[in-house]
Amino acid sequence: MYELMIQHPLVAALVALVGLALVFGAVLGFAAIKFHVEGDPIVDQIDKLLPQTQCGQCGYPGCRPYAQAIANGDAINKCPPGGQPTINALAALLDVEAPTLDEEHGVESDVKKVAYIREDECIGCTKCIQACPVDAILGAAKQMHTVIVSECTGCDLCVEPCPVDCIDMVPVPQGIAEWKWDMPAPTAEQLKALRASDIIATDRGERAA
Amino acid sequence: MALMKLTSPHAHAAQNTAAVMRLVLLATLPGLLALTAFFGWGSLINILIAGTVAVGLEALVMNLRSRPVMFYLSDYSALVTAVLLGLSLPPLAPWWVVVIGTGFAILIAKHLYGGLGYNPFNPAMVGYVVLLISFPVQMTAWPAPLLLYPEGVATPGFWESLQVVFPLLSPDNVDAVTAATPLDTFKHNSGLLVAQLYEKDPLFSRASLAGLGWEWVNLGFLAGGCFLLVRRVFTWHAPVAMLTSLALCAALFYDSGSSASHGSPLMHLLSGGTMLGAFFIITDPVTSATSNRGRLVYGALIGILIFIIRSWGSYPDAVAFSVLLMNFAAPLIDNYTLPRTYGHQKPRRATEKKE
Amino acid sequence: MRKIWDLIGGVHPPENKHQSVQQSIGTLPLPEKLVIPLNQHIGAPPKVLVNEGDYVLKGQALAEPNGMVSVGVHAPTSGTITGISDYPIPHPSGMSARCITLIPDRLDQWIDHSGVADYLSYSPAKLLEMIREAGIAGLGGAGFPSAVKLSARKPISTLIINGTECEPYITADDMLMREHPAEIVEGIKILAYLLGNPEEILIGIEDNKPEAYEALQPLLAGSNIELVEFPTRYPSGGEKQLIQILTGKEVPSGGLPADIGIVCQNVGTTHAIQRAICHGEPLISRVTTVTGRACTINRNYQILIGTPISHLLKHNGYDHNHCARLIMGGPMMGFTLTDTDIPVIKTTNCILAPSTEELPAPPPAQPCIRCGLCAEACPASLLPQQLFWYAQSQNYERLEAHNLFDCIECGACSYVCPSSIPLVQYYRAAKGDIRRQNQEKIKSDRARARFEFQQARKEKEEAEKVAKREARKLAAEKARALAAEQPGSAPGPDDIVKAAMARAAQQKASPEEQRARLERGVARAESHLQTVEHRLQTAQQEDSEQHLEQAKAAVEDARLRLEDARRKLAELGTVQDSAASNVMARIQASPGEAQEKKIASLKERIALTQQKIAEADDEGLKTALQSGLDKQLAKLQEAEQQLTETPAAAESPAPAATVDAAAAAIARAQARAASMSNMSEEDKLRESIISLEGRIEKAKAKLDEAKASESEHVDALQTGLDRLQQKLLSEREKCTAFAGQAQAPCAPQQPSTAESAVEPQPQDAASAAIARAQARASELANMSEQDKLQETVSSLQSRLKKARVKLRDAEAEGSEHVDVLRTAAEKLQTKLAAAEQQLAEYQS
């Protein structure tokens, strides 16, 4: 055997390579099974970051389809309800540069809104009920409809189908319970304000300018 | 008077950043005095050049960034950087070396990263390392202590020193007398026992602790550091950890004074930039680790790195390299050294997800 | 001496407490009005008990707790409620909330109230209820309902009374301890009793309040209450910090002191509880410090809850020109007020009006140099500089990893920050953002669940639709395949049998019901008749032409309906009366006899009808009766014919017993089934002709009626009738055309081979019907072409007879339809002849 190896280096090399391949293959295969990570598929992770308004402003019929599209390489800046925070979160997740919101799909609104049906004008056509992606409108044919405010995502998909235009998007009232402190103004802005008021008297050059 | 809407607390302690920086500047004085006394006017000239350039550049950058110039200059941070760089450069270094170093420190190491508070690396050390790599000749030409000037050579006065720094001022090209530093001596020592070296070399034989001049410079910085500690400008953790680890390493490799010895712990503690580094460089809060535990680790690792580079690297002193390397590591250290918060069983990690 | 643990971090701000302790706790005159916010505590707002305009007495409840974590509010003095509306309340936001406005009547009249002499004789639950009813919430600052805090579910080993008051300037608790130590000690004893006498009872007090210490110390002799003094350092008065200083234990993150067996109460709350239990007084006033250099008088006052702050300031020489901010609470944790009309509430321990020099506006923030002074000062061992860093970049994940929510917002970090960064504001804003984000996360998760559910539901609906469509398609294919296998018998005989059975059963099952229904119908018709008659009378009185016409028509209509209903009832009666005898008769009776009987009954009815006609004076009624008579006559003829045929049929094993109603139904079913199974285009036409004839007849009757009453609808009816007649004509033409084309089917002759297996079961009408139907079905299945032809012939014969009768009638009346009818009769005759010929051909 040894002799054979010595005399035929090609055979020796082949044997060695096959042996190595077998050993490492076994190790890798074992590792793949043993240390298999049952991670969230990327679509789920993206879907978790989306605001779930199901508004379709991104051009997909709901958040999950858009998540799927992002996973397949679509742009991450098509979600106006989520706005920049969502884009930033998606960018962090996907490890890409965070773009600004694509204005084509709408603008980010600071104020959270919910749909409100002017109930005495409602004719009970159920069109809005069919349009609502989260079943947040209550009513029956020929009966007055109303919005379950706590379930409304403010997607405004119900506004357009209403034949009598009795649905408004009203801002969610911000009471004392919802109030919170704002972040302090950034230092630069604070300084600009100060400069305008000439508090830094020693800053002559700046004042002259 | 209209009532303001402000967040609590409404009371503030009087200390501000400018006061902190002024204290730091004040604390460098003993070291600067020692440097001037033993090595001439060089360091003072360095500081003057570096300070002017730093303040000028800071003002320029603030103007370019359309920020209130005086507001930012009044925090003295640029001046502190300049002074620290000036103290670490060899006295009597050519003026352009100082200017380039300061420019690099202020423009690139500090403002390109966003200015004060945002720089990941210690600006003074970045400037120093850039100079050390780019101009090794100028950077390793350390003048001889005034006491060791050869017979017949006059020690340079302030004007002569200026002539050395600004060669244009001198028609006949005055040169400084240079000499090996204690660390150089140990690095190039071959065959002599430590005891023999101490006997033979006037640098050691005429010194009382570690090296003529150097021991006093380092003691000066130690004094300044202690002053800052007392004034609670920084905590003891990083300096003590660094000095301890450096001394321990030196003791470990002292090799009972054989010819292969890298020098005694005392020699290491009191030569080169050890004390300047320990109290003025690694305590720079911006670039160091944030928690006290983190600072212990950070300081200790710097001490070890200093010893390693001094002993086995190609540069005789290593504070700048060690500090920069550990600046890299500071965020990692921070991640693992969060303090245990009140009400928690054990410390968490900074990158930990929700419980 | 007790071991005292060190406070981690902390700061030493200038105390500034001496100004306000120079004078004892004072009182102020009643303000013009009191504004009492409903929600002065943490938890749900209480339920209002009073209305605008009500007169209330001092101590009367204005609102009661609404839910577990809630406390009520009480009238601080007697007076009139003038409003329940939104009003600015003490809150950092400066926003408004629901408040009750009370105008004092200056009588200060108490409501009946009494305390408990010996609280030990009451159960802790009862005492807790009293505390709850007294509206006591923590007076230290947070305002957590005390009753909830004291009803701990875990065993309590340590009760801590917080007399620390570490905030600068505030001396309310200090003065309370100095002036009311006995009440506080009694309050502590009540608390201890409520908590099941904990092993340790500690009063924590900072060493800057020696007077309070001296006041309390002598009262504690002989009790197990321990007064612990420790070095002054802010924020040692924080609940968590005080617990750490006194016991060395830490409240777990996100937990409560009760989790480690500790309950902490403020001295002010303790005092309020003592007043509530021992004197029955609700919480309507509190000690509040009014201080700051913008006020000339710095002092503590016993202030009624709801007193506007402007009232306090007015009595303390407030100079608004020297005050840039008005703070409720201390300088470290208090919040600024932007309106001096804001009222004092249960948690207001201090009103601080500093001069601008005293607390200058914060300088602009410089960049953070991460000096770490904040981390040194932090009592929770956080890294404020890192928190600031991440708050700025809104890195919420890192903020939570750095335990942002363990921050107690004490302000020590901001206090020491050399760059004067408003760190606490960053943390508050970040906390708010994270809370909001978490809420949105919950909402978005719910939205996702709802959306997915909707999707699933829609898919399911779609799938069900598809499945149904598939099933229908499959069934249709199956039926087609079956039809292809059995040509000529589209609805299987079995089906006919089943249908007949079902109908028979239905009819059989409900003779009583039917009767009842008919009777009801009669009654209804009668009452209706009465109504319309009454209306007719009224119309006559009113002499209104149009109304009279209408009323008359209505009466006529009603009468007809009544007739009809009565007739139906009579018919049913006949059927049912005869049913029993029929059954008996049927047992032996030959079909011939049955037929005879039927004929007899028909004859009887015809006679009755004729009599009615004679009696009837009304034209419309006459017509109707006449048509009914015609029908009866036709039936009679049919019956007679059947009787003549019966001898032959009687030999067949399935004799007919047609008297029974059920049997009649079966016969109809048979006829229909037969016609359906063999119905040619011609037959269909014939059918439609018959129905058209019926309709024409009805239309005629209506028209006559209309003519009689000279109604305006005559023309319309005439047109309708014409159209019907036209249609009838065209149908008839088609029919004759068909008859001409009709070819004789060339099936081989198959004599009727009726089965003898089925015996008649006449006892039971239903089973008889079933048997008949089955027999008929089998007959049908085997029916030869010849038989069919015979049937056709006989049917044609009967129709011809009918037509002749009609023709005769028409001739008698001189109707214009005589011609038409005559043509029809002739055509029928031709057809009959043709059919007979066919039959003859067949037989030959």
Side-chain angles (χ1 to χ4, degrees):
Chain A
M1 187 70 186
Y2 180 73
E3 285 297 308
L4 188 82
M5 290 283 170
I6 293 295
Q7 277 163 15
H8 301 277
L10 194 67
V11 175
L14 276 177
V15 167
L17 279 176
V18 168
L20 281 174
L22 282 176
V23 169
F24 284 112
V27 168
L28 285 174
F30 173 75
I33 293 160
K34 175 82 181 173
F35 304 111
H36 179 65
V37 179
E38 203 64 68
D40 277 355
I42 192 73
V43 177
D44 278 348
Q45 289 182 41
I46 296 170
D47 193 35
K48 265 188 192 142
L49 294 177
L50 293 173
Q52 304 301 326
T53 48
Q54 319 292 356
C55 64
Q57 287 182 72
C58 51
Y60 296 94
C63 291
R64 197 167 173 93
Y66 181 44
Q68 186 70 55
I70 290 175
N72 293 337
D74 199 350
I76 60 172
N77 59 348
K78 294 185 175 178
C79 182
Q84 202 60 44
T86 299
I87 294 172
N88 292 347
L90 287 171
L93 173 70
L94 303 171
D95 206 13
V96 293
E97 198 69 34
T100 52
L101 183 66
D102 189 351
E103 300 280 324
E104 211 176 282
H105 295 273
V107 283
E108 187 181 352
S109 161
D110 297 335
V111 197
K112 248 183 94 58
K113 288 182 172 178
V114 288
Y116 169 75
I117 295 177
R118 290 196 299 277
E119 290 170 350
D120 42 353
E121 290 173 36
C122 174
I123 54 166
C125 67
T126 74
K127 285 208 168 71
C128 54
I129 295 180
Q130 290 156 29
C132 182
V134 291
D135 290 338
I137 301 179
L138 204 64
K142 309 271 183 207
Q143 307 290 317
M144 182 195 79
H145 303 341
T146 195
V147 175
I148 308 168
V149 175
S150 63
E151 303 299 342
C152 177
T153 62
C155 67
D156 83 6
L157 288 179
C158 53
V159 174
E160 201 267 321
C162 181
V164 292
D165 271 340
C166 74
I167 305 182
D168 293 324
M169 297 305 293
V170 295
V172 182
Q174 294 292 310
I176 212 158
E178 285 85 24
W179 180 85
K180 68 165 200 65
W181 279 99
D182 286 329
M183 285 279 176
T187 319
E189 274 174 39
Q190 220 180 338
L191 288 170
K192 223 173 263 173
L194 280 175
R195 203 163 36 173
S197 61
D198 278 346
I199 282 183
I200 306 173
T202 50
D203 210 344
R204 282 169 212 284
E206 286 296 320
R207 224 201 299 183
Chain B
M1 198 177 278
L3 293 170
M4 288 190 288
K5 189 170 147 186
L6 290 167
T7 186
S8 66
H10 306 281
H12 289 278
Q15 202 175 34
N16 59 32
T17 306
V20 172
M21 294 294 182
R22 278 200 300 270
L23 275 181
V24 173
L25 290 176
L26 194 66
T28 58
L29 280 182
L32 177 62
L33 277 177
L35 271 172
T36 313
F38 286 94
F39 296 97
W41 298 100
S43 291
L44 196 63
I45 294 168
N46 280 351
I47 288 172
L48 287 175
I49 298 170
T52 317
V53 171
V55 171
L57 286 176
E58 178 97 355
L60 177 74
V61 171
M62 282 306 158
N63 212 6
L64 286 174
R65 291 174 68 190
S66 58
R67 300 284 161 87
V69 175
M70 284 314 290
F71 178 78
Y72 279 99
L73 285 187
S74 64
D75 66 18
Y76 295 96
S77 64
L79 206 56
V80 169
T81 302
V83 168
L84 294 180
L85 183 64
L87 288 172
S88 46
L89 291 176
L92 302 179
W95 63 273
W96 48 268
V97 169
V98 183
V99 170
I100 290 172
T102 314
F104 213 89
I106 297 292
L107 291 179
I108 296 189
K110 185 177 174 189
H111 282 298
L112 281 193
Y113 285 99
L116 180 63
Y118 298 91
N119 47 311
F121 303 109
N122 189 314
M125 288 302 103
V126 171
Y128 183 87
V129 164
V130 164
L131 293 177
L132 188 60
I133 292 167
S134 312
F135 315 108
V137 176
Q138 284 81 359
M139 288 299 287
T140 48
W142 198 276
L146 298 178
L147 293 173
L148 294 184
Y149 260 56
E151 293 288 325
V153 178
T155 54
F158 188 73
W159 176 243
E160 285 81 10
S161 302
L162 270 182
Q163 280 185 326
V164 174
V165 173
F166 297 98
L168 292 176
L169 293 176
S170 71
D172 49 350
N173 269 340
V174 181
D175 266 340
V177 178
T178 59
T181 65
L183 290 169
D184 289 333
T185 313
F186 265 90
K187 195 154 202 74
H188 301 116
N189 172 36
S190 54
L192 285 178
L193 295 176
V194 173
Q196 289 175 319
L197 199 66
Y198 267 61
E199 246 171 57
K200 232 183 110 192
D201 197 322
L203 194 61
F204 295 109
S205 59
R206 294 178 63 182
S208 44
L209 288 167
L212 187 64
W214 290 99
E215 54 191 19
W216 290 108
V217 170
N218 275 289
L219 285 173
F221 286 127
L222 175 63
C226 290
F227 166 70
L228 290 180
L229 263 183
V230 170
R231 297 298 299 266
R232 306 180 77 92
V233 170
F234 48 75
T235 59
W236 55 268
H237 301 84
V240 168
M242 174 191 142
L243 296 177
T244 311
S245 68
L246 178 62
L248 276 177
C249 286
L252 213 60
F253 292 93
Y254 182 58
D255 204 13
S256 53
S258 75
S259 61
S261 170
H262 298 291
S264 70
L266 201 60
M267 194 279 294
H268 272 285
L269 288 179
L270 295 181
S271 33
T274 306
M275 289 297 170
L276 180 69
F279 289 99
F280 294 90
I281 304 296
I282 72 165
T283 51
D284 168 28
V286 178
T287 54
S288 79
T290 47
S291 67
N292 288 340
R293 284 203 307 148
R295 283 170 181 167
L296 281 175
V297 176
Y298 175 79
L301 288 173
I302 287 179
I304 293 167
L305 270 179
I306 288 175
F307 185 78
I308 290 171
I309 299 174
R310 275 182 182 179
S311 307
W312 298 289
S314 53
Y315 290 98
D317 202 354
V319 174
F321 287 110
S322 311
V323 168
L324 289 184
L325 280 173
M326 289 319 291
N327 285 346
F328 271 114
L332 183 74
I333 296 170
D334 283 343
N335 189 26
Y336 291 99
T337 53
L338 250 54
R340 185 190 66 87
T341 307
Y342 179 101
H344 286 258
Q345 293 298 319
K346 55 175 192 281
R348 301 174 74 179
R349 277 191 293 123
T351 47
E352 196 175 295
K353 304 272 174 175
K354 270 174 202 159
E355 279 173 329
Chain C
M1 201 43 204
R2 210 191 147 75
K3 178 177 163 52
I4 292 164
W5 279 262
D6 253 350
L7 172 71
I8 298 166
V11 290
H12 284 284
E15 286 175 15
N16 283 311
K17 287 181 188 261
H18 59 276
Q19 300 98 315
S20 52
V21 294
Q22 306 303 325
Q23 287 171 287
S24 59
I25 298 172
T27 50
L28 286 173
L30 275 175
E32 294 296 315
K33 69 169 179 183
L34 292 161
V35 179
I36 305 127
L38 285 179
N39 211 0
Q40 304 181 22
H41 57 269
I42 291 175
K47 207 155 57 190
V48 182
L49 297 173
V50 290
N51 292 311
E52 208 177 311
D54 284 2
Y55 178 78
V56 293
L57 291 170
K58 183 174 185 172
Q60 184 177 337
L62 302 179
E64 63 177 7
N66 187 10
M68 181 63 195
V69 184
S70 179
V71 293
V73 291
H74 299 78
T77 184
S78 58
T80 314
I81 306 292
T82 56
I84 302 166
S85 56
D86 281 357
Y87 205 85
I89 61 156
H91 191 268
S93 67
M95 288 166 102
S96 298
R98 191 70 14 148
C99 298
I100 297 174
T101 316
L102 177 86
I103 302 287
D105 62 357
R106 311 210 168 267
L107 299 173
D108 210 26
Q109 207 172 357
W110 265 101
I111 197 169
D112 277 346
H113 66 286
S114 60
V116 170
D118 177 21
Y119 59 83
L120 290 174
S121 59
Y122 288 80
S123 72
K126 173 77 187 125
L127 295 176
L128 280 175
E129 187 54 35
M130 287 174 73
I131 292 171
R132 185 172 145 92
E133 276 168 12
I136 297 174
L139 269 65
F144 192 77
S146 298
V148 181
K149 202 171 178 178
L150 290 169
S151 47
R153 291 192 190 86
K154 291 175 180 141
I156 299 301
S157 59
T158 309
L159 168 64
I160 293 175
I161 303 301
N162 190 346
T164 315
E165 204 164 47
C166 57
E167 274 245 25
Y169 288 98
I170 310 176
T171 53
D173 288 349
D174 187 7
M175 290 308 290
L176 191 71
M177 286 189 283
R178 289 190 203 187
E179 298 190 12
H180 301 281
E183 291 166 31
I184 290 171
V185 171
E186 189 167 18
I188 295 171
K189 287 176 179 163
I190 295 171
L191 292 180
Y193 171 65
L194 285 175
L195 294 168
N197 295 312
E199 297 124 50
E200 276 186 313
I201 304 167
L202 308 170
I203 307 174
I205 186 166
E206 277 185 333
D207 60 8
N208 60 355
K209 300 176 189 64
E211 294 88 350
Y213 186 89
E214 292 304 321
L216 281 169
Q217 188 59 49
L219 297 167
L220 303 177
S223 73
N224 61 341
I225 304 169
E226 201 176 333
L227 186 58
V228 188
E229 202 174 33
F230 50 86
T232 303
R233 181 140 50 125
Y234 180 83
S236 56
E239 189 175 70
K240 291 175 171 184
Q241 279 62 43
L242 182 63
I243 288 170
Q244 192 183 29
I245 290 169
L246 294 181
T247 67
K249 293 182 192 165
E250 289 182 13
V251 181
S253 174
L256 292 169
D259 295 341
I260 50 169
I262 295 173
V263 162
C264 205
Q265 285 286 0
N266 175 266
V267 285
T269 319
T270 313
H271 179 247
I273 286 171
Q274 190 268 341
R275 298 297 301 173
I277 300 287
C278 300
H279 303 276
E281 290 175 12
L283 180 56
I284 53 170
S285 71
R286 67 155 296 143
V287 179
T288 299
T289 311
V290 182
T291 187
R293 270 186 239 162
C295 288
T296 49
I297 305 167
N298 286 190
R299 194 179 174 184
N300 282 285
Y301 293 97
Q302 187 79 35
I303 297 175
L304 293 182
I305 305 293
T307 308
I309 283 160
S310 52
H311 183 74
L312 293 182
L313 297 173
K314 195 174 73 191
H315 287 87
N316 282 278
Y318 169 69
D319 179 6
H320 75 274
N321 290 320
H322 288 106
C323 183
R325 52 181 147 182
L326 193 60
I327 300 163
M328 185 173 280
M332 296 302 283
M333 289 188 78
F335 53 90
T336 51
L337 305 175
T338 47
D339 187 345
T340 53
D341 280 338
I342 284 172
V344 166
I345 58 168
K346 291 172 184 174
T347 53
T348 307
N349 49 10
C350 179
I351 300 296
L352 176 57
S355 68
T356 31
E357 298 78 34
E358 204 175 1
L359 290 181
Q366 288 171 290
C368 171
I369 54 167
R370 303 210 278 169
C371 61
L373 288 175
C374 45
E376 299 285 296
C378 182
S381 305
L382 296 167
L383 288 178
Q385 71 274 47
Q386 297 294 86
L387 289 174
F388 162 67
W389 193 263
Y390 293 126
Q392 243 187 340
S393 57
Q394 304 189 334
N395 190 339
Y396 300 133
E397 216 166 73
R398 284 291 176 89
L399 281 173
E400 285 187 71
H402 280 79
N403 298 323
L404 173 66
F405 282 90
D406 287 304
C407 169
I408 58 167
E409 301 176 16
C410 66
C413 49
S414 298
Y415 177 79
V416 298
C417 179
S419 295
S420 26
I421 300 168
L423 293 166
V424 177
Q425 192 179 344
Y426 278 101
Y427 307 151
R428 284 181 175 147
K431 280 182 184 177
D433 284 339
I434 292 174
R435 285 197 195 102
R436 193 171 286 180
Q437 211 182 35
N438 287 344
Q439 276 165 4
E440 271 168 21
K441 180 99 190 71
I442 292 168
K443 217 188 149 182
S444 86
D445 282 347
R446 205 165 54 206
R448 182 192 296 114
R450 287 178 79 90
F451 177 66
E452 279 166 5
F453 178 77
Q454 196 196 42
Q455 296 291 100
R457 194 188 66 217
K458 280 183 176 164
E459 267 166 33
K460 205 175 135 200
E461 276 170 7
E462 196 53 44
E464 274 170 7
K465 258 187 214 161
V466 169
K468 259 188 199 159
R469 219 176 292 142
E470 286 296 312
R472 265 208 303 276
K473 223 164 100 187
L474 224 76
E477 268 167 20
K478 218 177 184 176
R480 259 206 299 283
L482 216 70
E485 273 172 35
Q486 302 175 325
S489 59
D494 287 350
D495 291 8
I496 295 165
V497 172
K498 271 182 200 153
M501 274 162 70
R503 222 166 299 140
Q506 198 187 352
Q507 221 163 348
K508 178 69 193 158
S510 59
E512 276 77 35
E513 275 171 18
Q514 237 178 337
R515 191 188 187 87
R517 204 173 62 220
L518 286 172
E519 275 168 357
R520 272 204 305 278
V522 171
R524 208 164 42 231
E526 273 169 354
S527 78
H528 184 62
L529 182 60
Q530 275 170 11
T531 335
V532 288
E533 271 171 353
H534 178 70
R535 215 160 54 199
L536 177 63
Q537 279 167 12
T538 348
Q540 278 166 341
Q541 280 160 13
E542 281 174 10
D543 206 22
S544 156
E545 193 65 28
Q546 204 189 348
H547 282 181
L548 199 63
E549 252 351 275
Q550 277 176 0
K552 268 183 187 163
V555 168
E556 213 49 57
D557 187 45
R559 203 178 290 153
L560 277 176
R561 264 193 238 166
L562 180 59
E563 285 302 332
D564 192 42
R566 277 188 183 142
R567 188 174 50 78
K568 271 186 192 156
L569 186 58
E571 267 174 7
L572 185 73
T574 332
V575 169
Q576 284 181 338
D577 288 345
S578 59
S581 55
N582 279 348
V583 168
M584 285 312 290
R586 266 203 326 259
I587 294 172
Q588 293 103 11
S590 67
E593 282 172 282
Q595 286 287 32
E596 272 163 14
K597 261 189 195 156
K598 191 185 174 188
I599 289 161
S601 106
L602 272 172
K603 273 180 181 160
E604 247 172 71
R605 274 160 66 188
I606 288 166
L608 195 74
T609 316
Q610 277 166 341
Q611 196 189 337
K612 261 189 198 161
I613 291 170
E615 280 168 15
D617 47 358
D618 189 273
E619 193 61 34
L621 183 62
K622 229 183 219 171
T623 336
L625 287 170
Q626 188 65 52
S627 74
L629 184 61
D630 288 350
K631 273 183 201 157
Q632 279 170 345
L633 281 170
K635 252 188 196 165
L636 180 61
Q637 277 169 351
E638 216 173 328
E640 277 170 349
Q641 193 193 339
Q642 265 173 7
L643 183 60
T644 51
E645 283 167 6
T646 303
E651 283 158 32
S652 78
T658 49
V659 191
D660 201 298
I666 292 166
R668 269 203 299 281
Q670 285 167 347
R672 214 173 301 150
S675 69
M676 244 157 74
S677 60
N678 302 309
M679 195 182 265
S680 64
E681 199 60 31
E682 190 189 344
D683 290 337
K684 273 185 202 156
L685 278 171
R686 226 174 270 156
E687 199 98 315
S688 88
I689 288 165
I690 291 164
S691 99
L692 272 172
E693 277 170 357
R695 273 164 73 191
I696 286 169
E697 223 141 299
K698 265 185 211 152
K700 269 185 200 157
K702 252 190 208 158
L703 182 60
D704 289 344
E705 202 181 308
K707 273 178 186 162
S709 59
E710 287 168 2
S711 164
E712 54 198 342
H713 306 305
V714 172
D715 289 345
L717 284 169
Q718 187 64 57
T719 338
L721 185 59
D722 289 350
R723 213 172 290 145
L724 276 172
Q725 277 167 343
Q726 233 161 10
K727 213 170 168 188
L728 181 63
L729 274 176
S730 76
E731 290 284 288
R732 278 194 181 139
E733 265 161 41
K734 269 192 216 162
C735 189
T736 40
F738 245 106
Q741 282 166 20
Q743 288 175 345
C746 45
Q749 191 184 357
Q750 249 186 19
S752 154
T753 54
E755 286 173 41
S756 56
V758 184
E759 284 295 323
Q761 299 288 321
Q763 310 91 306
D764 193 319
S767 57
I770 292 164
R772 187 168 314 286
Q774 277 169 343
R776 189 81 186 113
S778 55
E779 222 175 294
L780 196 70
N782 300 316
M783 195 184 259
S784 67
E785 271 314 307
Q786 193 184 6
D787 291 342
K788 278 182 200 162
L789 277 171
Q790 269 168 350
E791 285 254 346
T792 318
V793 169
S794 61
S795 121
L796 276 171
Q797 275 170 347
S798 79
R799 273 170 65 197
L800 186 59
K801 270 178 199 157
K802 256 191 236 170
R804 279 189 185 140
V805 171
K806 260 188 213 159
L807 182 58
R808 203 171 53 227
D809 284 354
E811 276 168 330
E813 275 173 27
S815 163
E816 55 198 342
H817 306 304
V818 171
D819 291 354
V820 182
L821 285 170
R822 197 173 288 146
T823 338
E826 276 166 13
K827 270 181 194 157
L828 270 174
Q829 233 165 348
T830 336
K831 228 166 150 187
L832 182 59
E836 274 169 350
Q837 198 189 335
Q838 250 178 37
L839 187 59
E841 272 171 21
Y842 232 110
Q843 278 162 343
S844 63

